[in-house]
mmCIF file of all heavy atoms in Angstrom:
data_model
loop_
_atom_site.group_PDB
_atom_site.id
_atom_site.type_symbol
_atom_site.label_atom_id
_atom_site.label_comp_id
_atom_site.label_asym_id
_atom_site.label_seq_id
_atom_site.Cartn_x
_atom_site.Cartn_y
_atom_site.Cartn_z
ATOM 1 N N LEU H 1 153.002 91.610 125.543
ATOM 2 C CA LEU H 1 153.827 91.859 124.357
ATOM 3 C C LEU H 1 154.636 90.626 123.989
ATOM 4 O O LEU H 1 154.630 90.184 122.834
ATOM 5 C CB LEU H 1 154.754 93.056 124.579
ATOM 6 C CG LEU H 1 155.801 93.274 123.473
ATOM 7 C CD1 LEU H 1 155.129 93.509 122.124
ATOM 8 C CD2 LEU H 1 156.732 94.423 123.834
ATOM 9 N N GLN H 2 155.335 90.043 124.961
ATOM 10 C CA GLN H 2 156.163 88.869 124.673
ATOM 11 C C GLN H 2 155.300 87.681 124.233
ATOM 12 O O GLN H 2 155.708 86.906 123.357
ATOM 13 C CB GLN H 2 157.013 88.503 125.900
ATOM 14 C CG GLN H 2 158.048 89.552 126.259
ATOM 15 C CD GLN H 2 158.943 89.922 125.082
ATOM 16 O OE1 GLN H 2 159.399 89.060 124.335
ATOM 17 N NE2 GLN H 2 159.189 91.214 124.921
ATOM 18 N N ALA H 3 154.122 87.550 124.820
ATOM 19 C CA ALA H 3 153.219 86.469 124.416
ATOM 20 C C ALA H 3 152.732 86.686 122.982
ATOM 21 O O ALA H 3 152.618 85.729 122.203
ATOM 22 C CB ALA H 3 152.038 86.378 125.373
ATOM 23 N N SER H 4 152.467 87.940 122.606
ATOM 24 C CA SER H 4 152.050 88.246 121.235
ATOM 25 C C SER H 4 153.148 87.873 120.249
ATOM 26 O O SER H 4 152.885 87.278 119.191
ATOM 27 C CB SER H 4 151.715 89.735 121.087
ATOM 28 O OG SER H 4 150.648 90.099 121.916
ATOM 29 N N LEU H 5 154.389 88.211 120.583
ATOM 30 C CA LEU H 5 155.519 87.887 119.707
ATOM 31 C C LEU H 5 155.719 86.378 119.608
ATOM 32 O O LEU H 5 156.059 85.851 118.544
ATOM 33 C CB LEU H 5 156.789 88.581 120.212
ATOM 34 C CG LEU H 5 156.753 90.117 120.166
ATOM 35 C CD1 LEU H 5 157.992 90.695 120.844
ATOM 36 C CD2 LEU H 5 156.642 90.623 118.736
ATOM 37 N N LEU H 6 155.476 85.668 120.713
ATOM 38 C CA LEU H 6 155.561 84.208 120.713
ATOM 39 C C LEU H 6 154.499 83.604 119.791
ATOM 40 O O LEU H 6 154.779 82.684 119.006
ATOM 41 C CB LEU H 6 155.398 83.691 122.140
ATOM 42 C CG LEU H 6 155.480 82.191 122.373
ATOM 43 C CD1 LEU H 6 156.833 81.640 121.936
ATOM 44 C CD2 LEU H 6 155.232 81.877 123.856
ATOM 45 N N ALA H 7 153.270 84.137 119.856
ATOM 46 C CA ALA H 7 152.209 83.658 118.967
ATOM 47 C C ALA H 7 152.574 83.923 117.508
ATOM 48 O O ALA H 7 152.324 83.078 116.635
ATOM 49 C CB ALA H 7 150.886 84.343 119.318
ATOM 50 N N MET H 8 153.198 85.069 117.242
ATOM 51 C CA MET H 8 153.634 85.373 115.866
ATOM 52 C C MET H 8 154.685 84.378 115.393
ATOM 53 O O MET H 8 154.619 83.879 114.261
ATOM 54 C CB MET H 8 154.192 86.802 115.803
ATOM 55 C CG MET H 8 153.156 87.882 115.941
ATOM 56 S SD MET H 8 153.955 89.517 115.883
ATOM 57 C CE MET H 8 152.527 90.583 116.107
ATOM 58 N N GLN H 9 155.669 84.086 116.246
ATOM 59 C CA GLN H 9 156.683 83.080 115.904
ATOM 60 C C GLN H 9 156.021 81.764 115.511
ATOM 61 O O GLN H 9 156.390 81.125 114.520
ATOM 62 C CB GLN H 9 157.592 82.802 117.104
ATOM 63 C CG GLN H 9 158.669 83.816 117.364
ATOM 64 C CD GLN H 9 159.501 83.411 118.589
ATOM 65 O OE1 GLN H 9 159.162 82.475 119.314
ATOM 66 N NE2 GLN H 9 160.577 84.130 118.820
ATOM 67 N N ARG H 10 155.046 81.348 116.307
ATOM 68 C CA ARG H 10 154.375 80.065 116.069
ATOM 69 C C ARG H 10 153.571 80.093 114.766
ATOM 70 O O ARG H 10 153.523 79.091 114.037
ATOM 71 C CB ARG H 10 153.463 79.742 117.260
ATOM 72 C CG ARG H 10 154.235 79.401 118.513
ATOM 73 C CD ARG H 10 153.342 79.347 119.736
ATOM 74 N NE ARG H 10 154.088 78.896 120.901
ATOM 75 C CZ ARG H 10 153.664 79.025 122.158
ATOM 76 N NH1 ARG H 10 152.486 79.585 122.405
ATOM 77 N NH2 ARG H 10 154.408 78.589 123.163
ATOM 78 N N ALA H 11 152.920 81.232 114.474
ATOM 79 C CA ALA H 11 152.142 81.340 113.238
ATOM 80 C C ALA H 11 153.052 81.253 112.016
ATOM 81 O O ALA H 11 152.732 80.582 111.029
ATOM 82 C CB ALA H 11 151.344 82.642 113.227
ATOM 83 N N ILE H 12 154.203 81.925 112.079
ATOM 84 C CA ILE H 12 155.165 81.881 110.973
ATOM 85 C C ILE H 12 155.699 80.453 110.809
ATOM 86 O O ILE H 12 155.822 79.937 109.697
ATOM 87 C CB ILE H 12 156.311 82.880 111.217
ATOM 88 C CG1 ILE H 12 155.771 84.315 111.223
ATOM 89 C CG2 ILE H 12 157.411 82.731 110.163
ATOM 90 C CD1 ILE H 12 156.709 85.335 111.859
ATOM 91 N N ALA H 13 155.988 79.798 111.924
ATOM 92 C CA ALA H 13 156.494 78.417 111.878
ATOM 93 C C ALA H 13 155.457 77.456 111.303
ATOM 94 O O ALA H 13 155.816 76.402 110.764
ATOM 95 C CB ALA H 13 156.905 77.973 113.280
ATOM 96 N N ALA H 14 154.174 77.800 111.398
ATOM 97 C CA ALA H 14 153.104 76.925 110.911
ATOM 98 C C ALA H 14 152.895 77.022 109.400
ATOM 99 O O ALA H 14 152.133 76.240 108.832
ATOM 100 C CB ALA H 14 151.798 77.257 111.635
ATOM 101 N N LEU H 15 153.551 77.982 108.745
ATOM 102 C CA LEU H 15 153.395 78.139 107.297
ATOM 103 C C LEU H 15 153.930 76.910 106.556
ATOM 104 O O LEU H 15 154.974 76.362 106.926
ATOM 105 C CB LEU H 15 154.141 79.383 106.810
ATOM 106 C CG LEU H 15 153.604 80.739 107.248
ATOM 107 C CD1 LEU H 15 154.628 81.830 106.939
ATOM 108 C CD2 LEU H 15 152.271 81.037 106.562
ATOM 109 N N SER H 16 153.252 76.533 105.489
ATOM 110 C CA SER H 16 153.712 75.400 104.679
ATOM 111 C C SER H 16 154.809 75.811 103.696
ATOM 112 O O SER H 16 155.457 74.951 103.087
ATOM 113 C CB SER H 16 152.530 74.797 103.915
ATOM 114 O OG SER H 16 151.924 75.785 103.084
ATOM 115 N N ILE H 17 155.003 77.104 103.512
ATOM 116 C CA ILE H 17 156.033 77.656 102.634
ATOM 117 C C ILE H 17 156.877 78.626 103.452
ATOM 118 O O ILE H 17 156.340 79.386 104.257
ATOM 119 C CB ILE H 17 155.395 78.429 101.457
ATOM 120 C CG1 ILE H 17 154.551 77.492 100.582
ATOM 121 C CG2 ILE H 17 156.461 79.132 100.606
ATOM 122 C CD1 ILE H 17 153.726 78.229 99.549
ATOM 123 N N THR H 18 158.182 78.635 103.249
ATOM 124 C CA THR H 18 159.037 79.590 103.949
ATOM 125 C C THR H 18 159.072 80.901 103.172
ATOM 126 O O THR H 18 159.439 80.906 101.984
ATOM 127 C CB THR H 18 160.474 79.051 104.093
ATOM 128 O OG1 THR H 18 160.418 77.816 104.803
ATOM 129 C CG2 THR H 18 161.353 80.035 104.845
ATOM 130 N N PRO H 19 158.689 82.010 103.794
ATOM 131 C CA PRO H 19 158.703 83.290 103.081
ATOM 132 C C PRO H 19 160.122 83.838 102.936
ATOM 133 O O PRO H 19 161.041 83.405 103.636
ATOM 134 C CB PRO H 19 157.851 84.193 103.981
ATOM 135 C CG PRO H 19 158.024 83.621 105.352
ATOM 136 C CD PRO H 19 158.190 82.143 105.168
ATOM 137 N N ASP H 20 160.267 84.801 102.017
ATOM 138 C CA ASP H 20 161.551 85.487 101.864
ATOM 139 C C ASP H 20 161.680 86.635 102.869
ATOM 140 O O ASP H 20 162.777 86.949 103.329
ATOM 141 C CB ASP H 20 161.684 86.043 100.442
ATOM 142 C CG ASP H 20 161.649 84.936 99.403
ATOM 143 O OD1 ASP H 20 162.424 83.974 99.560
ATOM 144 O OD2 ASP H 20 160.838 85.019 98.460
ATOM 145 N N GLU H 21 160.553 87.268 103.164
ATOM 146 C CA GLU H 21 160.526 88.403 104.086
ATOM 147 C C GLU H 21 159.276 88.301 104.943
ATOM 148 O O GLU H 21 158.256 87.757 104.499
ATOM 149 C CB GLU H 21 160.488 89.742 103.338
ATOM 150 C CG GLU H 21 161.679 89.994 102.445
ATOM 151 C CD GLU H 21 161.555 91.316 101.692
ATOM 152 O OE1 GLU H 21 160.552 92.045 101.901
ATOM 153 O OE2 GLU H 21 162.461 91.615 100.901
ATOM 154 N N VAL H 22 159.349 88.861 106.133
ATOM 155 C CA VAL H 22 158.197 88.903 107.041
ATOM 156 C C VAL H 22 157.932 90.362 107.402
ATOM 157 O O VAL H 22 158.835 91.071 107.838
ATOM 158 C CB VAL H 22 158.465 88.065 108.315
ATOM 159 C CG1 VAL H 22 157.309 88.212 109.307
ATOM 160 C CG2 VAL H 22 158.683 86.601 107.958
ATOM 161 N N TRP H 23 156.682 90.779 107.201
ATOM 162 C CA TRP H 23 156.251 92.140 107.531
ATOM 163 C C TRP H 23 155.231 92.029 108.662
ATOM 164 O O TRP H 23 154.216 91.362 108.529
ATOM 165 C CB TRP H 23 155.624 92.828 106.333
ATOM 166 C CG TRP H 23 156.558 93.029 105.177
ATOM 167 C CD1 TRP H 23 157.908 92.776 105.133
ATOM 168 C CD2 TRP H 23 156.197 93.525 103.878
ATOM 169 N NE1 TRP H 23 158.412 93.086 103.899
ATOM 170 C CE2 TRP H 23 157.390 93.551 103.093
ATOM 171 C CE3 TRP H 23 155.009 93.951 103.300
ATOM 172 C CZ2 TRP H 23 157.406 93.985 101.779
ATOM 173 C CZ3 TRP H 23 155.020 94.382 101.979
ATOM 174 C CH2 TRP H 23 156.203 94.401 101.237
ATOM 175 N N VAL H 24 155.517 92.708 109.764
ATOM 176 C CA VAL H 24 154.705 92.593 110.978
ATOM 177 C C VAL H 24 154.010 93.917 111.254
ATOM 178 O O VAL H 24 154.643 94.983 111.186
ATOM 179 C CB VAL H 24 155.590 92.206 112.185
ATOM 180 C CG1 VAL H 24 154.754 92.090 113.451
ATOM 181 C CG2 VAL H 24 156.323 90.900 111.914
ATOM 182 N N ASP H 25 152.735 93.854 111.583
ATOM 183 C CA ASP H 25 152.034 95.068 111.986
ATOM 184 C C ASP H 25 152.552 95.543 113.341
ATOM 185 O O ASP H 25 152.748 94.742 114.257
ATOM 186 C CB ASP H 25 150.529 94.803 112.092
ATOM 187 C CG ASP H 25 149.758 96.058 112.479
ATOM 188 O OD1 ASP H 25 149.895 97.068 111.786
ATOM 189 O OD2 ASP H 25 149.043 96.021 113.495
ATOM 190 N N GLY H 26 152.770 96.854 113.479
ATOM 191 C CA GLY H 26 153.175 97.413 114.766
ATOM 192 C C GLY H 26 154.616 97.853 114.766
ATOM 193 O O GLY H 26 155.201 98.155 113.722
ATOM 194 N N ASN H 27 155.218 97.885 115.953
ATOM 195 C CA ASN H 27 156.602 98.366 116.068
ATOM 196 C C ASN H 27 157.520 97.383 116.784
ATOM 197 O O ASN H 27 158.597 97.750 117.228
ATOM 198 C CB ASN H 27 156.645 99.743 116.745
ATOM 199 C CG ASN H 27 155.901 99.751 118.065
ATOM 200 O OD1 ASN H 27 155.521 98.698 118.573
ATOM 201 N ND2 ASN H 27 155.680 100.923 118.617
ATOM 202 N N HIS H 28 157.098 96.121 116.890
ATOM 203 C CA HIS H 28 157.946 95.077 117.473
ATOM 204 C C HIS H 28 157.989 93.880 116.536
ATOM 205 O O HIS H 28 156.978 93.535 115.929
ATOM 206 C CB HIS H 28 157.410 94.624 118.837
ATOM 207 C CG HIS H 28 157.485 95.685 119.889
ATOM 208 N ND1 HIS H 28 156.447 96.561 120.122
ATOM 209 C CD2 HIS H 28 158.478 96.028 120.738
ATOM 210 C CE1 HIS H 28 156.799 97.389 121.100
ATOM 211 N NE2 HIS H 28 158.018 97.091 121.480
ATOM 212 N N CYS H 29 159.135 93.259 116.443
ATOM 213 C CA CYS H 29 159.310 92.086 115.584
ATOM 214 C C CYS H 29 159.544 90.838 116.427
ATOM 215 O O CYS H 29 160.286 90.883 117.409
ATOM 216 C CB CYS H 29 160.516 92.268 114.663
ATOM 217 S SG CYS H 29 160.309 93.569 113.445
ATOM 218 N N PRO H 30 158.960 89.714 116.010
ATOM 219 C CA PRO H 30 159.284 88.449 116.686
ATOM 220 C C PRO H 30 160.721 88.052 116.390
ATOM 221 O O PRO H 30 161.305 88.466 115.379
ATOM 222 C CB PRO H 30 158.286 87.462 116.078
ATOM 223 C CG PRO H 30 157.945 88.040 114.739
ATOM 224 C CD PRO H 30 158.020 89.530 114.897
ATOM 225 N N ASP H 31 161.286 87.242 117.254
ATOM 226 C CA ASP H 31 162.662 86.780 117.111
ATOM 227 C C ASP H 31 162.671 85.572 116.176
ATOM 228 O O ASP H 31 162.396 84.449 116.595
ATOM 229 C CB ASP H 31 163.232 86.421 118.492
ATOM 230 C CG ASP H 31 164.694 86.022 118.418
ATOM 231 O OD1 ASP H 31 165.329 86.255 117.373
ATOM 232 O OD2 ASP H 31 165.199 85.452 119.406
ATOM 233 N N ILE H 32 162.952 85.834 114.898
ATOM 234 C CA ILE H 32 162.978 84.762 113.904
ATOM 235 C C ILE H 32 164.249 84.910 113.067
ATOM 236 O O ILE H 32 164.912 85.953 113.099
ATOM 237 C CB ILE H 32 161.728 84.796 112.994
ATOM 238 C CG1 ILE H 32 161.589 86.171 112.314
ATOM 239 C CG2 ILE H 32 160.474 84.452 113.783
ATOM 240 C CD1 ILE H 32 160.461 86.254 111.304
ATOM 241 N N THR H 33 164.582 83.875 112.299
ATOM 242 C CA THR H 33 165.817 83.898 111.508
ATOM 243 C C THR H 33 165.610 84.553 110.146
ATOM 244 O O THR H 33 166.578 84.838 109.441
ATOM 245 C CB THR H 33 166.340 82.467 111.289
ATOM 246 O OG1 THR H 33 165.306 81.691 110.680
ATOM 247 C CG2 THR H 33 166.727 81.833 112.621
ATOM 248 N N LEU H 34 164.369 84.802 109.752
ATOM 249 C CA LEU H 34 164.072 85.412 108.456
ATOM 250 C C LEU H 34 164.201 86.930 108.530
ATOM 251 O O LEU H 34 164.068 87.515 109.613
ATOM 252 C CB LEU H 34 162.641 85.056 108.040
ATOM 253 C CG LEU H 34 162.349 83.572 107.840
ATOM 254 C CD1 LEU H 34 160.853 83.328 107.856
ATOM 255 C CD2 LEU H 34 162.962 83.090 106.533
ATOM 256 N N PRO H 35 164.427 87.616 107.395
ATOM 257 C CA PRO H 35 164.384 89.081 107.383
ATOM 258 C C PRO H 35 162.990 89.558 107.806
ATOM 259 O O PRO H 35 161.982 89.088 107.253
ATOM 260 C CB PRO H 35 164.673 89.440 105.927
ATOM 261 C CG PRO H 35 165.315 88.230 105.333
ATOM 262 C CD PRO H 35 164.753 87.053 106.072
ATOM 263 N N VAL H 36 162.926 90.450 108.771
ATOM 264 C CA VAL H 36 161.625 90.871 109.310
ATOM 265 C C VAL H 36 161.606 92.371 109.530
ATOM 266 O O VAL H 36 162.606 92.960 109.962
ATOM 267 C CB VAL H 36 161.310 90.091 110.628
ATOM 268 C CG1 VAL H 36 162.378 90.300 111.689
ATOM 269 C CG2 VAL H 36 159.930 90.435 111.170
ATOM 270 N N TRP H 37 160.482 92.997 109.182
ATOM 271 C CA TRP H 37 160.298 94.430 109.359
ATOM 272 C C TRP H 37 158.987 94.685 110.097
ATOM 273 O O TRP H 37 157.991 94.001 109.860
ATOM 274 C CB TRP H 37 160.234 95.142 108.007
ATOM 275 C CG TRP H 37 161.574 95.292 107.360
ATOM 276 C CD1 TRP H 37 162.458 96.328 107.503
ATOM 277 C CD2 TRP H 37 162.207 94.368 106.478
ATOM 278 N NE1 TRP H 37 163.594 96.095 106.760
ATOM 279 C CE2 TRP H 37 163.472 94.891 106.116
ATOM 280 C CE3 TRP H 37 161.829 93.123 105.946
ATOM 281 C CZ2 TRP H 37 164.346 94.248 105.265
ATOM 282 C CZ3 TRP H 37 162.703 92.471 105.097
ATOM 283 C CH2 TRP H 37 163.942 93.026 104.761
ATOM 284 N N ALA H 38 159.010 95.660 110.973
ATOM 285 C CA ALA H 38 157.791 96.123 111.646
ATOM 286 C C ALA H 38 157.256 97.333 110.883
ATOM 287 O O ALA H 38 158.013 98.231 110.528
ATOM 288 C CB ALA H 38 158.108 96.497 113.089
ATOM 289 N N ILE H 39 155.967 97.347 110.639
ATOM 290 C CA ILE H 39 155.323 98.425 109.898
ATOM 291 C C ILE H 39 154.164 98.946 110.736
ATOM 292 O O ILE H 39 153.154 98.252 110.925
ATOM 293 C CB ILE H 39 154.812 97.939 108.527
ATOM 294 C CG1 ILE H 39 155.978 97.351 107.707
ATOM 295 C CG2 ILE H 39 154.128 99.070 107.780
ATOM 296 C CD1 ILE H 39 155.552 96.728 106.393
ATOM 297 N N VAL H 40 154.312 100.146 111.266
ATOM 298 C CA VAL H 40 153.244 100.747 112.071
ATOM 299 C C VAL H 40 152.055 101.035 111.154
ATOM 300 O O VAL H 40 152.206 101.632 110.084
ATOM 301 C CB VAL H 40 153.734 102.033 112.755
ATOM 302 C CG1 VAL H 40 152.585 102.726 113.477
ATOM 303 C CG2 VAL H 40 154.860 101.698 113.741
#
C-alpha cells in the first residue's frame, strides 16, 4: 500500500502541468500538497 502511494506521488510529480485537484482510484490518498480525493 505505501509503495503504491509512493508511486502515485512520483507520477503526480512527473506531470508537466500542476493540476488543481487530484482524484485517486480507491480509498487511500497519497501524501501531496494538492487537494486530493479518493474515489472507490
Side-chain angles (χ1 to χ4, degrees):
L1 172 60
Q2 294 307 317
S4 298
L5 295 173
L6 181 60
M8 289 179 181
Q9 281 180 351
R10 290 169 175 165
I12 296 163
L15 292 167
S16 58
I17 297 171
T18 302
D20 299 309
E21 299 178 2
V22 175
W23 297 354
V24 180
D25 181 55
N27 53 11
H28 293 91
C29 293
D31 184 13
I32 56 175
T33 56
L34 298 163
V36 58
W37 284 271
I39 303 175
V40 174

